Amino acid sequence: MAKPAIVVDNISMMFNLHQEKVDNLKEYFIKLITRKLRFNEFWALNDISFTVEKGDRVGILGFNGAGKSTLLKVIAGVLKPTKGTVKVNGIVAPMLELGAGFDMNYSGRENIFLYGATMGYSRKFIEEKYDEIVEFSELGDFIDVPVKNYSSGMRARLGFAIATAVEPQILILDEVLSVGDAKFKKKSEAKIRSMFDKGITVLFVSHSVNQVLNICNKAIILEKGKVIAQGDAKEICAQYEKMVKGK
Amino acid sequence: MKYLKNFYKYRFLLYEIVRKNIKLQYRNSVLGIFWTFLQPLLTTCVLVLIFGGIFGKKDESLVNYPIYLLCGRLLYEFFTQSTKRAMRSIRNSASVIKKVYVPKYIYPLSNVTANFVTFLISLLVLVCFVAYYYFFSEQQPHITPYVFLAIVPIIILFILSVGVGLILSTLAVFFKDIEYLYEVFCMLLFYATPIIYKLETLKIQSEAVKLALMANPLYSIIQMFRDCVLFGEMMNPKHIIYSACFSIATVIIGLVLFYKKQDKFILHI
């Protein structure tokens, strides 16, 4: 068997909830001396373990504040877990928020290279993919306009085009499949589906059970930072729907 | 080894950000990249106009006051601009750092590097100054083969800026006040470094003050640079050793501090 794509091993993530936000020196020293620096511990993730095999498409379900986005950020390497380890085999394309790496004063063309470099790709590699990206994003002549003048739909389209064109091995989708108009939505779903056929591993966060059923073959339910169920997508989705109704 | 490998993978990002910073700095200005020359040229003219009468006259040891001043000013300007930009770099890239994994030191490093490139371009002004005074005036700068050694203080200054940039960028994430404090500090540095004056002409009585002024690594670096470009002499080895050690120590402190704190950045930006 091939190496699993993602191994999440007993991770916990703790945040210090500052009672008051201290971000200047004067306040910090006053509070340090008067011993008023107090923190509330908050465990966003609590001892989570699971394994994702290559080619698996895992839906992550859970109510608001269950820790879904925190989990994705830990897997993407943005957050370092307080305890535990995450092992990821392969290139991860995080689509936590499309177009997060864009520079507003830069044109679309320049941003393609910047965004590609942010994901660790060489200029040469992006040059090969350049035409495909421009075509898929449907930006046409707008490609030389600074991104600050783009509409939010155009920005998201460009972000989606870059993130998928580089053929990552692991795709992290955080409710991003609602990009653009209906036509583009269809196109982006088709694109992601075509990537499934190449055996890409997907982590997908959504509130919509239908979307999860549509895309994923496995699912996990998170509640208050803990995994309460994992397994086949159909069973888990049924369980989740029960939870929703019960609430 | 692991760090080097990671750096190698993200070298394109470093390149792209350096490129971006240089490109965007002068975009939409009519004269564009010319400002890299014009800005130091004009500010030096102003300073010569104001301080030339006070410090520049009747002092043979200065050789040529405009060049003396320009040397100091170019180096000072590079140091403060690059460290200020590096200081803000983490906060300015918050949107990326929060979403995608990137080695975070790339941001302060690329800001210093971008400023370094514009600094190298602005050195052309110095070349013009030296050429002009060499051919058309009596206050000839002493040009000797030592001029090529000017690369030494420039490299040391780059290392120092990276180190200070790393430290400041880490601190600025946790305390925004640093940005304002550093602004004041830079002003102090401008007058505490012999840029517009010569240390000897101040006739300081107190040994402690003198020592404090000479402990400034910028003093050593600027002095070395002037030795090469203006006085045509071998630089003082004490200056080389002192400033090099100071710079390397700063980089090490900066790296240790940065690596210890970088996982917490995301919680504060």
Side-chain angles (χ1 to χ4, degrees):
Chain A
M1 250 203 81
K3 265 199 279 183
I6 303 168
V7 182
V8 175
D9 194 16
N10 295 320
I11 59 165
S12 298
M13 185 77 216
M14 186 196 73
F15 291 106
N16 285 323
L17 295 184
H18 295 243
Q19 289 191 323
E20 299 134 86
K21 202 172 187 301
V22 184
D23 61 357
N24 67 59
L25 276 173
K26 193 185 85 188
E27 268 182 49
Y28 183 81
F29 281 119
I30 290 173
K31 295 214 163 137
L32 193 72
I33 291 163
T34 57
R35 298 191 184 281
K36 272 189 184 156
L37 269 182
R38 269 184 303 217
F39 303 108
N40 278 351
E41 287 187 1
F42 170 70
W43 293 87
L45 299 176
N46 211 332
D47 202 21
I48 289 186
S49 306
F50 61 88
T51 309
V52 179
E53 300 295 338
K54 253 181 200 146
D56 267 358
R57 305 179 300 274
V58 180
I60 300 174
L61 293 158
F63 298 120
N64 282 334
K68 299 181 302 272
S69 294
T70 310
L71 179 62
L72 290 192
K73 279 185 181 173
V74 170
I75 292 171
V78 175
L79 278 174
K80 199 176 177 186
T82 319
K83 285 182 202 158
T85 52
V86 177
K87 262 196 205 113
V88 177
N89 296 309
I91 297 165
V92 183
M95 294 219 277
L96 299 169
E97 193 176 291
L98 291 173
F102 287 165
D103 190 293
M104 288 299 149
N105 291 312
Y106 239 24
S107 74
R109 180 192 303 275
E110 290 162 320
N111 263 310
I112 291 176
F113 291 103
L114 182 66
Y115 198 80
T118 310
M119 285 163 57
Y121 291 103
S122 72
R123 201 177 175 82
K124 214 177 124 212
F125 181 80
I126 300 292
E127 258 163 24
E128 283 165 19
K129 298 281 175 191
Y130 179 77
D131 290 332
E132 190 189 321
I133 293 169
V134 175
E135 200 204 343
F136 192 86
S137 63
E138 300 174 2
L139 282 170
D141 293 337
F142 283 100
I143 202 73
D144 287 317
V145 173
V147 169
K148 64 181 170 194
N149 299 336
Y150 280 21
S151 71
S152 57
M154 289 160 90
R155 224 173 278 163
R157 256 152 47 199
L158 184 61
F160 185 91
I162 301 170
T164 50
V166 294
E167 289 170 12
Q169 280 129 18
I170 299 162
L171 198 59
I172 297 181
L173 302 170
D174 192 356
E175 313 194 44
V176 287
L177 282 183
S178 43
V179 170
D181 52 20
K183 203 178 119 223
F184 191 80
K185 220 162 147 178
K186 230 178 176 175
K187 196 171 153 188
S188 55
E189 277 198 30
K191 173 83 186 177
I192 287 190
R193 246 166 236 295
S194 79
M195 291 169 81
F196 291 170
D197 299 336
K198 288 179 193 155
I200 189 174
T201 310
V202 178
L203 285 180
F204 180 60
V205 164
S206 178
H207 287 289
S208 150
V209 175
N210 282 336
Q211 259 185 337
V212 172
L213 275 174
N214 228 339
I215 288 177
C216 306
N217 60 348
K218 284 189 180 164
I220 290 173
I221 302 181
L222 280 184
E223 196 180 66
K224 288 182 184 154
K226 285 185 177 151
V227 177
I228 59 168
Q230 56 179 319
D232 188 67
K234 271 179 198 155
E235 289 168 26
I236 298 293
C237 283
Q239 190 183 342
Y240 183 70
E241 282 198 314
K242 257 185 225 159
M243 279 171 64
V244 174
K245 274 172 195 155
K247 220 177 181 183
Chain B
M1 219 26 233
K2 199 179 88 199
Y3 296 125
L4 281 180
K5 220 170 146 187
N6 207 20
F7 175 74
Y8 188 71
K9 182 183 168 196
Y10 280 97
R11 66 196 189 281
F12 303 108
L13 181 61
L14 182 68
Y15 170 78
E16 288 293 337
I17 298 178
V18 168
R19 196 181 148 104
K20 181 188 88 175
N21 284 349
I22 296 168
K23 260 174 128 174
L24 288 183
Q25 192 172 4
Y26 297 106
R27 183 168 282 184
N28 297 333
S29 59
V30 181
L31 293 174
I33 197 88
F34 273 108
W35 278 113
T36 10
F37 319 108
L38 272 178
Q39 214 245 356
L41 181 74
L42 296 177
T43 49
T44 307
C45 288
V46 172
L47 287 173
V48 169
L49 212 66
I50 298 170
F51 295 107
I54 306 170
F55 298 108
K57 273 182 185 157
K58 292 178 250 158
D59 196 344
E60 288 295 309
S61 66
L62 283 180
V63 183
N64 183 313
Y65 188 66
I67 295 180
Y68 181 88
L69 200 151
L70 186 64
C71 287
R73 190 163 159 75
L74 282 173
L75 268 58
Y76 164 84
E77 199 66 17
F78 161 64
F79 175 76
T80 53
Q81 289 303 327
S82 60
T83 47
K84 275 182 201 169
R85 299 255 303 257
M87 175 171 68
R88 298 197 184 96
S89 61
I90 298 286
R91 252 175 210 279
N92 287 346
S93 332
S95 65
V96 181
I97 291 172
K98 278 181 180 171
K99 307 289 175 198
V100 191
Y101 168 79
V102 276
K104 294 168 194 63
Y105 63 84
I106 292 276
Y107 291 102
L109 181 63
S110 60
N111 275 286
V112 173
T113 313
N115 262 70
F116 189 65
V117 174
T118 48
F119 162 72
L120 291 181
I121 299 172
S122 70
L123 281 182
L124 280 177
V125 177
L126 185 64
V127 174
C128 296
F129 259 65
V130 169
Y132 173 81
Y133 282 103
Y134 191 76
F135 292 114
F136 300 111
S137 93
E138 287 165 8
Q139 295 174 306
Q140 273 188 356
H142 307 306
I143 296 300
T144 59
Y146 285 123
V147 76
F148 295 108
L149 279 180
I151 190 86
V152 175
I154 290 177
I155 290 171
I156 294 176
L157 183 63
F158 177 74
I159 298 170
L160 180 69
S161 307
V162 171
V164 174
L166 280 172
I167 295 174
L168 285 173
S169 62
T170 312
L171 293 178
V173 169
F174 299 99
F175 302 108
K176 206 162 184 288
D177 307 46
I178 292 285
E179 288 181 20
Y180 306 107
L181 267 175
Y182 190 62
E183 206 67 48
V184 180
F185 175 80
C186 284
M187 202 176 133
L188 174 71
L189 192 67
F190 181 76
Y191 292 105
T193 312
I195 295 169
I196 49 175
Y197 58 86
K198 196 167 184 242
L199 198 56
E200 286 75 13
T201 54
L202 285 190
K203 298 196 183 75
I204 303 161
Q205 300 296 327
S206 156
E207 276 300 311
V209 174
K210 212 170 174 178
L211 212 65
L213 287 180
M214 285 168 77
N216 172 7
L218 266 191
Y219 163 74
S220 303
I221 293 171
I222 291 177
Q223 214 53 36
M224 287 192 297
F225 190 68
R226 280 174 183 150
D227 282 341
C228 301
V229 179
L230 181 58
F231 304 133
E233 292 165 4
M234 180 58 202
M235 10 184 201
N236 188 340
K238 276 185 201 155
H239 283 320
I240 306 179
I241 295 167
Y242 175 68
S243 58
C245 291
F246 193 98
S247 306
I248 291 167
T250 315
V251 168
I252 293 171
I253 293 171
L255 280 175
V256 170
L257 188 70
F258 198 86
Y259 268 94
K260 272 199 161 160
K261 294 288 177 194
Q262 66 172 351
D263 293 328
K264 296 221 171 91
F265 284 0
I266 187 167
L267 307 174
H268 291 265
I269 47 179

Coordinates of all heavy atoms in Angstrom, one line a residue, chain A residues 15 23-25 28 73 76-80 94 96-97 100-101 103 105-106 110 113-114 117-118 120-123, chain B residues 9-10 12-13 15-17 19-20 23-24 27 95-102 174-177 181 263 266-267:
Chain A
F15 N -5.5 27.8 22.5 CA -5.3 29.3 22.3 C -5.4 29.9 23.7 O -6.2 29.5 24.5 CB -6.4 29.8 21.4 CG -6.3 29.4 20.0 CD1 -7.2 28.5 19.5 CD2 -5.4 29.9 19.2 CE1 -7.1 28.1 18.1 CE2 -5.3 29.5 17.9 CZ -6.1 28.6 17.3
D23 N -1.6 44.9 23.3 CA -0.7 45.0 22.2 C 0.2 46.3 22.2 O 0.7 46.7 21.2 CB -1.4 44.8 20.9 CG -2.4 45.9 20.6 OD1 -2.6 46.7 21.5 OD2 -3.0 45.9 19.5
N24 N 0.3 46.9 23.4 CA 1.3 47.9 23.4 C 2.2 47.7 24.7 O 1.7 47.2 25.7 CB 0.8 49.3 23.2 CG -0.1 49.8 24.3 OD1 0.4 49.8 25.5 ND2 -1.3 50.1 24.1
L25 N 3.4 48.2 24.6 CA 4.4 48.0 25.6 C 4.0 48.5 27.0 O 4.1 47.8 28.0 CB 5.7 48.6 25.2 CG 6.6 47.8 24.3 CD1 7.7 48.7 23.8 CD2 7.1 46.6 24.9
Y28 N 1.5 46.3 28.6 CA 2.1 45.0 28.9 C 2.9 45.1 30.2 O 2.8 44.3 31.1 CB 3.0 44.6 27.7 CG 3.6 43.2 27.9 CD1 2.9 42.1 27.6 CD2 4.9 43.1 28.4 CE1 3.4 40.8 27.8 CE2 5.5 41.8 28.6 CZ 4.7 40.7 28.3 OH 5.3 39.4 28.5
K73 N -6.1 24.5 9.1 CA -4.9 25.4 9.2 C -3.8 24.6 9.7 O -2.6 24.8 9.3 CB -5.2 26.6 10.0 CG -6.0 27.7 9.3 CD -6.1 28.9 10.1 CE -6.9 30.0 9.3 NZ -7.2 31.1 10.2
A76 N -2.6 22.5 6.9 CA -1.9 23.3 5.9 C -0.5 23.8 6.4 O 0.2 24.3 5.6 CB -2.8 24.4 5.5
G77 N -0.3 23.6 7.7 CA 1.0 24.1 8.2 C 1.0 25.5 8.6 O 2.1 26.1 8.9
V78 N -0.1 26.2 8.6 CA -0.2 27.6 9.0 C -0.1 27.7 10.5 O 0.6 28.6 11.1 CB -1.5 28.2 8.5 CG1 -1.6 29.6 9.0 CG2 -1.5 28.2 7.0
L79 N -0.8 26.8 11.2 CA -0.8 26.8 12.7 C 0.1 25.6 13.1 O 0.0 24.6 12.5 CB -2.2 26.7 13.2 CG -3.1 27.9 13.3 CD1 -4.4 27.5 13.8 CD2 -2.5 28.9 14.3
K80 N 0.8 25.8 14.2 CA 1.6 24.7 14.7 C 0.8 24.2 15.9 O 0.4 24.9 16.8 CB 2.9 25.2 15.2 CG 3.9 24.1 15.3 CD 5.3 24.6 15.7 CE 6.2 23.4 15.9 NZ 7.5 23.8 16.3
P94 N -3.6 25.0 -0.5 CA -4.6 25.4 0.4 C -5.5 26.4 -0.3 O -5.1 27.3 -0.9 CB -3.8 26.1 1.5 CG -2.5 26.4 0.9 CD -2.3 25.7 -0.4
L96 N -7.9 27.9 1.4 CA -8.7 28.3 2.6 C -9.4 29.6 2.2 O -10.6 29.8 2.6 CB -7.7 28.6 3.8 CG -7.0 27.4 4.2 CD1 -5.9 27.8 5.2 CD2 -7.9 26.4 4.9
E97 N -8.7 30.5 1.5 CA -9.4 31.6 1.0 C -8.8 32.0 -0.3 O -7.6 32.2 -0.4 CB -9.2 32.8 2.0 CG -10.1 33.9 1.7 CD -10.0 35.0 2.8 OE1 -10.3 34.7 4.0 OE2 -9.4 36.0 2.5
A100 N -5.8 34.9 -1.3 CA -5.2 35.5 -0.1 C -3.8 36.0 -0.3 O -3.4 37.0 0.3 CB -5.2 34.5 1.0
G101 N -3.1 35.4 -1.3 CA -1.7 35.8 -1.5 C -1.5 36.9 -2.5 O -0.4 37.2 -2.9
D103 N -1.3 40.5 -4.3 CA -0.9 41.9 -3.9 C -1.8 42.8 -4.7 O -1.9 42.7 -5.9 CB 0.5 42.2 -4.3 CG 1.0 43.5 -3.7 OD1 0.5 44.6 -4.2 OD2 1.8 43.5 -2.8
N105 N -1.8 45.9 -5.6 CA -1.3 46.8 -6.6 C -0.7 46.1 -7.8 O -0.3 46.8 -8.8 CB -0.2 47.7 -6.0 CG -0.8 48.7 -5.0 OD1 -1.8 49.3 -5.3 ND2 -0.3 48.7 -3.8
Y106 N -0.6 44.8 -7.7 CA 0.0 44.1 -8.8 C -1.0 43.7 -9.8 O -2.2 43.5 -9.4 CB 0.6 42.8 -8.2 CG 2.1 42.6 -8.4 CD1 2.9 43.7 -8.6 CD2 2.7 41.4 -8.3 CE1 4.3 43.5 -8.8 CE2 4.0 41.2 -8.5 CZ 4.8 42.3 -8.7 OH 6.2 42.1 -8.9
E110 N 1.2 39.5 -12.9 CA 2.3 39.4 -12.0 C 1.9 38.6 -10.8 O 2.7 37.9 -10.2 CB 2.6 40.9 -11.6 CG 3.3 41.6 -12.7 CD 3.3 43.1 -12.5 OE1 2.2 43.7 -12.0 OE2 4.3 43.8 -12.7
F113 N 2.5 34.8 -10.9 CA 3.8 34.4 -10.5 C 4.1 34.5 -9.0 O 4.7 33.6 -8.4 CB 4.8 35.2 -11.3 CG 4.8 34.8 -12.8 CD1 4.2 35.7 -13.7 CD2 5.4 33.6 -13.2 CE1 4.2 35.4 -15.0 CE2 5.3 33.3 -14.6 CZ 4.7 34.2 -15.5
L114 N 3.5 35.6 -8.4 CA 3.7 35.7 -7.0 C 3.0 34.6 -6.2 O 3.6 34.0 -5.3 CB 3.2 37.1 -6.6 CG 3.3 37.5 -5.1 CD1 4.8 37.6 -4.8 CD2 2.6 38.8 -4.8
A117 N 4.8 31.4 -6.5 CA 6.0 31.3 -5.7 C 5.6 31.1 -4.2 O 6.3 30.4 -3.5 CB 6.8 32.6 -5.9
T118 N 4.5 31.7 -3.8 CA 4.0 31.5 -2.4 C 3.7 30.1 -2.2 O 3.9 29.6 -1.1 CB 2.7 32.4 -2.2 OG1 3.0 33.7 -2.6 CG2 2.4 32.4 -0.7
G120 N 5.4 27.8 -3.6 CA 6.6 27.0 -3.7 C 7.0 26.6 -5.1 O 7.8 25.6 -5.3
Y121 N 6.4 27.2 -6.1 CA 6.7 26.8 -7.5 C 7.6 27.7 -8.1 O 7.7 28.9 -7.8 CB 5.4 26.7 -8.3 CG 4.5 25.5 -7.9 CD1 3.4 25.8 -7.1 CD2 4.8 24.2 -8.2 CE1 2.5 24.8 -6.7 CE2 4.0 23.2 -7.8 CZ 2.9 23.5 -7.1 OH 2.1 22.4 -6.7
S122 N 8.4 27.2 -9.1 CA 9.3 28.1 -9.8 C 8.7 28.9 -10.9 O 7.6 28.6 -11.3 CB 10.4 27.2 -10.4 OG 9.9 26.5 -11.5
R123 N 9.4 29.9 -11.3 CA 8.8 30.8 -12.3 C 8.6 30.1 -13.6 O 7.7 30.3 -14.3 CB 9.8 32.0 -12.5 CG 9.2 33.2 -13.1 CD 10.2 34.3 -13.2 NE 9.5 35.4 -13.9 CZ 8.7 36.3 -13.4 NH1 8.4 36.2 -12.1 NH2 8.1 37.2 -14.1
Chain B
K9 N 13.8 25.6 -1.6 CA 12.5 25.5 -2.3 C 11.8 26.8 -2.5 O 11.1 27.0 -3.4 CB 11.6 24.5 -1.4 CG 10.3 24.2 -2.0 CD 9.4 23.4 -1.2 CE 8.0 23.4 -1.7 NZ 7.0 22.9 -0.7
Y10 N 12.0 27.7 -1.5 CA 11.2 28.9 -1.5 C 12.1 30.1 -2.1 O 11.7 31.2 -1.9 CB 10.7 29.3 -0.1 CG 9.4 28.5 0.2 CD1 9.5 27.3 0.9 CD2 8.2 28.9 -0.3 CE1 8.3 26.6 1.2 CE2 7.1 28.2 0.0 CZ 7.1 27.1 0.7 OH 6.0 26.4 0.9
F12 N 12.3 31.0 -5.0 CA 11.5 31.8 -6.0 C 10.7 32.8 -5.3 O 10.4 33.9 -5.9 CB 10.7 30.8 -6.8 CG 11.4 29.8 -7.5 CD1 11.4 28.5 -7.0 CD2 12.3 30.1 -8.5 CE1 12.1 27.5 -7.6 CE2 13.0 29.1 -9.2 CZ 12.9 27.8 -8.7
L13 N 10.2 32.5 -4.1 CA 9.3 33.5 -3.4 C 10.2 34.7 -3.0 O 9.7 35.8 -3.2 CB 8.7 32.8 -2.2 CG 7.8 33.7 -1.4 CD1 6.6 34.1 -2.2 CD2 7.4 33.0 -0.1
Y15 N 12.7 35.8 -4.6 CA 13.0 36.5 -5.8 C 11.7 37.3 -6.2 O 11.8 38.5 -6.5 CB 13.4 35.5 -6.9 CG 13.4 36.1 -8.3 CD1 14.4 36.9 -8.7 CD2 12.3 35.9 -9.2 CE1 14.5 37.4 -10.0 CE2 12.3 36.4 -10.4 CZ 13.4 37.2 -10.8 OH 13.4 37.7 -12.1
E16 N 10.6 36.7 -6.1 CA 9.3 37.3 -6.5 C 9.0 38.5 -5.6 O 8.5 39.6 -6.1 CB 8.1 36.4 -6.5 CG 8.2 35.3 -7.6 CD 8.0 35.9 -9.0 OE1 7.4 37.0 -9.1 OE2 8.4 35.3 -10.0
I17 N 9.3 38.4 -4.3 CA 8.9 39.5 -3.4 C 9.9 40.6 -3.6 O 9.5 41.8 -3.6 CB 8.9 39.0 -2.0 CG1 7.8 38.0 -1.8 CG2 8.6 40.2 -1.1 CD1 7.7 37.4 -0.4
R19 N 11.4 41.4 -6.3 CA 11.0 42.0 -7.6 C 9.8 42.8 -7.4 O 9.7 44.0 -8.0 CB 10.7 40.8 -8.5 CG 10.6 41.1 -10.0 CD 10.3 39.8 -10.7 NE 9.4 40.1 -11.8 CZ 9.9 40.0 -13.1 NH1 11.2 39.7 -13.3 NH2 9.1 40.3 -14.1
K20 N 8.8 42.3 -6.7 CA 7.6 43.1 -6.5 C 7.9 44.4 -5.7 O 7.3 45.4 -6.1 CB 6.6 42.2 -5.6 CG 5.3 42.9 -5.3 CD 4.5 42.1 -4.4 CE 4.8 42.5 -3.0 NZ 3.9 41.9 -2.0
K23 N 9.5 46.9 -8.0 CA 8.6 47.3 -9.1 C 7.5 48.2 -8.6 O 7.2 49.2 -9.2 CB 7.9 46.1 -9.7 CG 8.5 45.6 -11.0 CD 7.8 44.3 -11.4 CE 7.3 44.4 -12.8 NZ 6.8 43.0 -13.2
L24 N 7.0 47.9 -7.4 CA 5.9 48.7 -6.9 C 6.3 50.0 -6.3 O 5.5 50.9 -6.2 CB 5.1 47.9 -5.9 CG 4.2 46.7 -6.4 CD1 3.4 46.1 -5.3 CD2 3.3 47.2 -7.5
R27 N 6.2 52.6 -9.0 CA 5.1 52.5 -10.0 C 4.2 53.7 -9.8 O 4.0 54.2 -8.7 CB 4.3 51.2 -9.8 CG 3.2 51.1 -10.8 CD 2.6 49.7 -10.8 NE 3.5 48.7 -11.5 CZ 3.2 47.4 -11.6 NH1 2.1 47.0 -11.2 NH2 4.1 46.6 -12.2
S95 N -2.1 38.6 5.5 CA -3.2 37.9 4.8 C -2.6 36.6 4.2 O -3.3 35.6 4.1 CB -3.7 38.7 3.7 OG -2.7 39.0 2.7
V96 N -1.3 36.6 3.8 CA -0.7 35.4 3.3 C -0.4 34.4 4.4 O -0.7 33.2 4.4 CB 0.6 35.7 2.5 CG1 1.2 34.4 1.9 CG2 0.3 36.7 1.4
I97 N 0.3 35.0 5.5 CA 0.8 34.1 6.5 C -0.4 33.4 7.2 O -0.2 32.2 7.7 CB 1.6 35.0 7.5 CG1 2.9 35.4 6.9 CG2 1.9 34.2 8.8 CD1 3.6 36.4 7.7
K98 N -1.5 34.0 7.3 CA -2.7 33.3 7.9 C -3.3 32.2 7.1 O -4.0 31.4 7.6 CB -3.8 34.4 8.2 CG -3.6 35.2 9.4 CD -4.7 36.2 9.6 CE -4.5 37.0 10.8 NZ -5.5 38.1 10.8
K99 N -3.0 32.2 5.8 CA -3.7 31.2 5.0 C -2.8 30.1 4.4 O -3.2 29.0 4.1 CB -4.3 31.9 3.8 CG -5.2 33.1 4.1 CD -6.5 32.6 4.8 CE -7.3 33.8 5.2 NZ -8.3 33.4 6.2
V100 N -1.5 30.5 4.1 CA -0.7 29.5 3.4 C 0.6 29.3 4.2 O 1.0 30.3 4.9 CB -0.3 30.1 2.0 CG1 0.4 29.0 1.2 CG2 -1.5 30.6 1.3
Y101 N 1.2 28.1 4.2 CA 2.5 28.0 4.9 C 3.6 28.6 4.0 O 3.7 28.2 2.8 CB 2.8 26.5 5.1 CG 4.2 26.4 5.5 CD1 4.6 26.7 6.8 CD2 5.2 26.0 4.6 CE1 5.9 26.6 7.2 CE2 6.6 26.0 5.0 CZ 6.9 26.3 6.3 OH 8.2 26.3 6.6
V102 N 4.3 29.5 4.5 CA 5.5 30.0 3.9 C 6.6 30.2 5.0 O 6.2 30.5 6.1 CB 5.3 31.3 3.2 CG1 4.8 31.2 1.8 CG2 4.5 32.3 4.0
F174 N 4.5 41.6 18.1 CA 3.9 41.6 19.5 C 3.6 43.0 20.0 O 2.6 43.2 20.8 CB 4.8 40.8 20.4 CG 5.0 39.4 20.0 CD1 6.2 39.0 19.3 CD2 4.0 38.5 20.2 CE1 6.3 37.7 18.9 CE2 4.2 37.2 19.8 CZ 5.3 36.8 19.1
F175 N 4.4 43.9 19.6 CA 4.2 45.3 20.1 C 4.2 46.3 19.0 O 5.3 46.6 18.5 CB 5.2 45.7 21.2 CG 5.3 44.7 22.3 CD1 6.3 43.8 22.5 CD2 4.2 44.7 23.3 CE1 6.3 42.9 23.6 CE2 4.2 43.9 24.3 CZ 5.3 43.0 24.5
K176 N 3.1 46.8 18.7 CA 3.1 47.8 17.5 C 3.9 49.0 17.9 O 4.3 49.7 17.0 CB 1.6 48.1 17.2 CG 1.5 48.5 15.8 CD 0.0 48.4 15.3 CE -0.1 48.7 13.9 NZ 0.1 50.1 13.5
D177 N 4.0 49.3 19.2 CA 4.7 50.6 19.6 C 6.1 50.7 19.0 O 6.6 51.8 18.9 CB 4.8 50.6 21.1 CG 3.4 50.5 21.8 OD1 2.7 49.5 21.4 OD2 3.1 51.2 22.7
L181 N 8.6 53.9 18.2 CA 9.8 54.1 18.9 C 11.0 54.0 17.9 O 11.9 54.8 18.1 CB 10.0 52.9 19.9 CG 9.5 53.1 21.3 CD1 9.6 51.8 22.1 CD2 10.2 54.2 22.0
D263 N 6.0 30.8 15.6 CA 4.8 30.0 15.6 C 3.7 30.8 16.3 O 2.5 30.5 16.1 CB 5.0 28.7 16.3 CG 5.9 27.8 15.5 OD1 5.9 27.9 14.3 OD2 6.7 27.0 16.1
I266 N 1.0 34.2 14.1 CA -0.3 34.1 13.6 C -1.4 34.5 14.6 O -2.5 34.9 14.2 CB -0.6 32.7 13.0 CG1 -1.9 32.7 12.2 CG2 -0.5 31.6 14.1 CD1 -2.0 31.5 11.4
L267 N -1.1 34.3 15.9 CA -2.1 34.6 16.9 C -2.1 36.1 17.1 O -3.1 36.6 17.8 CB -1.7 33.9 18.2 CG -1.5 32.4 18.1 CD1 -1.0 31.8 19.4 CD2 -2.8 31.7 17.6

